[in-house]
Structures are given as structure tokens and as C-alpha cells.
Amino acid sequence: MQVSPFILSFEKIKRTIPLSNISLDQIKAPISKEMDDFEQRFQHSLATRVALLNRIMTYIVKRKGKQIRPILVFLSAGIHGTISDKTYRGAALVELLHTATLIHDDVVDDSLERRGFFSLNALWKNKIAVLVGDYLLSRGLLLSIDNGDFDLLSISSTAVKSMSEGELLQLEKSRTLNLQEPEYFDIIRMKTASLIASCCAMGARSVTDDVEVIEKMRLFGEHVGIAFQIKDDLFDFGEEVIGKPVGNDIKEKKLTLPVIYALNQVDKPERKKIISLIKGKDAERSRFRILADFVKDNGGIAYAERTMMEYQEKAFAILNEFQPSTYRDSMQKLVIFTTKREK
């Protein structure tokens, strides 16, 4: 019997390093120098003559996240060619774009915390936060225009368009709580996966003109992004604070994959009862406990975990079409990291 390339690759990773012990330092190993250089270049790109803006930029740099998206850009480039200055610009573009959207999201959601730190709007109020987000977007645009990277700009602009449409579609559906799986996947494909897909496409585009390769990397990133978002959905039913409040999706009346599946397993009266519970505001903690038990008892958690792993396998299937390398090995580990991470 022929064994699939995915299984062979997956088994190789399991033999060389325990899946639960995969760290970002191991993932970044082939691009550690590039990531160090990137941080310096990125900080330099944020410099401005406006004192207030400089203070805010320093605050943003100090509270940087895992930098998954720049890592995706560099690894994607390394898989298909030699990392170039254009790769650095692609990584900076996506980081500027991502940071700007997070700032704007905090304003829209009236969130006072981000990654364990005060959000910009908590410290400098909404008006300044919105302007800072706009500034970051403009820096990304100018970075691409000044260097003639119109291909990268096209990829990133498509992602921003999709992210905006996904957010608005989710807001529309949250009003009626009438969401089925196809619509759920449309939302997360646009809202979350589109940016991760653009990272992989930009990384590849920075080193190759092969349209087929670039599209395959875009699709690879989309699968990773969907798996990433499903993992995020599952955090809503955890026991610990992981960067967002446990039960936050339900509090914001977002129907995620575990909830959608569980609702589809019960009859209409039970479904109506649970929907009413989601819409309610009283006894927040006890209400969430009832909902969490409902989702678990009706297979929502298990179903979401299976689906997440299916998208991980789809990502591996694409990745294994390319030549083995240290970059590809690290990308495989990164795919696993997105579904094994604890926050």
C-alpha cells in the first residue's frame, strides 16, 4: 500500500521533535538572521518627526506579538528561492497592515487590552488610535509604491478588502444568529485566512514569477488560516485566559464552528432555547457554563477539532508538492504550531 507524502512528512516530524514541544525559536531557525534584520528595518520604517507618533510607535514595537505573519513571508520565500530585499518589504507591508487592522479592531470593539497590554485606544483614546492605524496603512502603501512593488500591493489590498467584507458579514449575521457552516467558512476565509494567505503569496511572489506556485502558496496559507481560526474558536471553551476572555465569542454573539455544529444536532425547540440563551445578558458566567456544556455534549468541540486537522492536512498536501528544505521543514512545524498552540 502506498503511503501518502503527508503521512511520511508528518511521521518524520514526530520522530525528530515532540509536537507539543515545537517552539517559535525552532520554527524561526532557518530565518533567524532575517528576522533580526527585519525587526531593525521595521522599527526604522516607523520613524517619524512627530513626537507623539514616535512614542506610540515605540509602544507598538515593544508589545509585538509572535510575528507569525512575517515568519510566513520569509519561509514562503525561502521555500521557492533566495530571500531578497523585496521579501523584507513584503514582510514589513503585511506587518504594517496587520498592526493597523488590530488597532482599528480595538476601537470598533471598544477593547481596552491587546496581548496583555493596554490597547492604544485605552491609553490615547479612539481618535488618536484611528489616526495611528491610518498612518500605518499609509506607510505600507508608500513602502510598496516607492519601490514599485505593485504586485505585493495588489495581493495585500485584496486581503484588506476581504477582511473588511468578512467583518461586515459577521456583524450582519450576529444580529440574527442565523449562521450555517458555509457562511461561517466564508466569514473566516475572508476575515482571518485572507491575510495569512496573502503572507504566503507575497513571500513566494518576492522570489518567483511563477503564477501557479504563487497561487498554491496562497491556497496553502488559506488552509492554515482557517485551521488557525478554528483553533481560536476552541479557545472560547477553555479554562484559562489566553489573550482574549474565555467565552468572549459567545458574549459578542458570534456563532463559531463548535456552536453551529452543536445547534444542528438538536431539535428546533432545543435550538431555540440555546439561541435565546446566547442572546441573553443575565448571569453571564453561569450562562456560559450551560452553553459550553451544551456544545461539548453535542459534539461541537470534537467536530471542530476534526475539521481543524482536516485543514491542516490540506495545507500539508500542498506544501509537500515542493522540494524538501529547512524552510519547508520549519513551515511544516509552523502549521502544527498553529493547531497546537495554547494561546
Side-chain angles (χ1 to χ4, degrees), residues 132-149:
V132 170
D134 292 346
Y135 172 78
L136 292 173
L137 286 172
S138 69
R139 290 306 297 255
L141 293 172
L142 288 171
L143 177 66
S144 297
I145 292 170
D146 290 346
N147 290 279
D149 297 330

Side-chain angles (χ1 to χ4, degrees), residues 26-30 75 326-334:
Q26 292 165 337
I27 292 167
K28 290 192 292 185
L75 289 178
T326 56
Y327 299 105
R328 197 188 77 168
D329 289 345
S330 278
M331 187 70 92
Q332 289 172 325
K333 292 174 186 175
L334 181 55

Side-chain angles (χ1 to χ4, degrees), residues 62-118:
K62 285 183 177 179
R63 55 193 274 271
K64 65 184 180 186
K66 300 182 185 73
Q67 294 186 300
I68 295 291
R69 289 154 189 84
I71 292 172
L72 283 165
V73 175
F74 282 112
L75 289 178
S76 295
I79 289 170
H80 299 289
T82 302
I83 292 171
S84 63
D85 283 341
K86 188 169 184 175
T87 309
Y88 281 92
R89 295 196 298 270
L93 173 58
V94 78
E95 190 71 347
L96 288 164
L97 188 158
H98 178 55
T99 305
T101 58
L102 292 181
I103 292 170
H104 285 163
D105 282 350
D106 287 340
V107 174
V108 170
D109 297 337
D110 199 24
S111 177
L112 302 180
E113 186 177 319
R114 169 71 64 176
R115 295 169 181 160
F117 295 87
F118 285 116

Side-chain angles (χ1 to χ4, degrees), residues 173-184:
K173 292 299 179 180
S174 67
R175 294 175 180 175
T176 60
L177 292 180
N178 180 25
L179 186 66
Q180 295 300 316
E181 273 194 46
E183 294 166 314
Y184 164 83

Side-chain angles (χ1 to χ4, degrees), residues 12-23 26 333:
K12 179 182 176 183
I13 293 175
K14 288 200 292 185
R15 287 196 302 271
T16 55
I17 179 171
L19 299 186
S20 59
N21 293 335
I22 292 176
S23 69
Q26 292 165 337
K333 292 174 186 175

Side-chain angles (χ1 to χ4, degrees), residues 33 36 54 57-58 66 185 195 267 274 276 311 329:
K33 182 183 182 302
D36 289 341
N54 262 333
M57 292 302 106
T58 300
K66 300 182 185 73
F185 281 108
L195 184 57
D267 57 25
I274 295 299
S276 296
Y311 275 96
D329 289 345

